[in-house]
Every structure is written in structure tokens, then in C-alpha cells.
């Protein structure tokens, strides 16, 4: 999977949000805000193909958490991005 190139991470009013660049109208129902670990995965995995294991490894390497917990957290992140149609297969 890969993060679609038209989506950009921006800081707005102190929040890290994903913006769909090139869209003139705002669809506020699909705004996604990222916490610190979600932002980290975004920054490490943007512009490249990745799988769930690679996303989880970012968390393991950074936070020294158990691989099982990292897989769960990375899975939640991936599912949130898929729900908003931000990932391509």
C-alpha cells in the first residue's frame, strides 16, 4: 500500500491534519487528525510502498514497544487511512 500523493500533512491550529490538496471545496466529514505516533508513521512511510509490518516496525524502533502492540496500533492507523480513502493498494 502507499499514501496517495495528493494528501499532505499540515499543522493547523496546533493539530496535525491530513489535507487533500487540489480539492477546492472542504469536506469536513473526512478530516483526519494525527497523534504523535500516527504522524511519525506518516512521515516515515510517505512516498513509498509499505506493508503493515513495516508500519509496526516504525513504532517498535521508536517507542520500544512489543511487536504485538505495534501491529495492533499500526493496524488501527492503516484502517483509519483506508476508511478515508487515503491509501492506494
Amino acid at each position: 500500500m502507499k499514501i496517495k500523493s495528493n494528501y499532505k500533512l499540515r499543522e493547523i491550529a496546533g493539530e496535525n491534519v491530513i489535507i487533500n490538496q487540489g480539492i477546492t471545496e472542504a469536506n469536513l466529514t473526512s478530516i483526519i487528525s494525527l497523534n504523535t505516533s500516527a504522524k511519525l508513521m506518516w512521515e516515515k512511510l510517505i512516498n513509498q510502498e509499505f506493508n503493515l509490518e513495516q508500519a509496526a516496525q516504525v513504532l517498535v524502533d521508536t517507542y520500544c514497544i512489543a511487536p504485538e502492540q505495534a501491529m495492533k496500533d499500526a493496524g488501527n492507523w492503516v484502517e483509519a487511512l483506508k476508511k478515508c480513502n487515503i491509501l492506494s493498494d
Side-chain angles (χ1 to χ4, degrees), residues 7 21 27 30 37 44 47 55 65 71 73 80-81 85 87:
Y7 287 92
Q21 295 216 171
N27 180 356
S30 64
S37 58
K44 296 284 186 180
N47 298 323
I65 62 174
M71 284 293 287
D73 294 346
L81 296 182
N85 199 27
L87 295 178

Side-chain angles (χ1 to χ4, degrees), residues 28-80:
L28 299 179
T29 62
S30 64
I31 289 177
I32 186 166
S33 177
L34 302 181
N35 65 19
T36 303
S37 58
K39 178 184 175 196
L40 174 71
M41 286 187 287
W42 180 282
E43 291 173 337
K44 296 284 186 180
L45 300 169
I46 190 80
N47 298 323
Q48 62 181 311
E49 293 283 334
F50 65 92
N51 59 36
L52 184 58
E53 290 79 14
Q54 290 167 313
Q57 192 62 47
V58 170
L59 299 175
V60 170
D61 292 345
T62 304
Y63 299 111
C64 300
I65 62 174
E68 299 79 19
Q69 183 62 49
M71 284 293 287
K72 181 181 175 187
D73 294 346
N76 290 337
W77 178 73
V78 165
E79 287 306 312

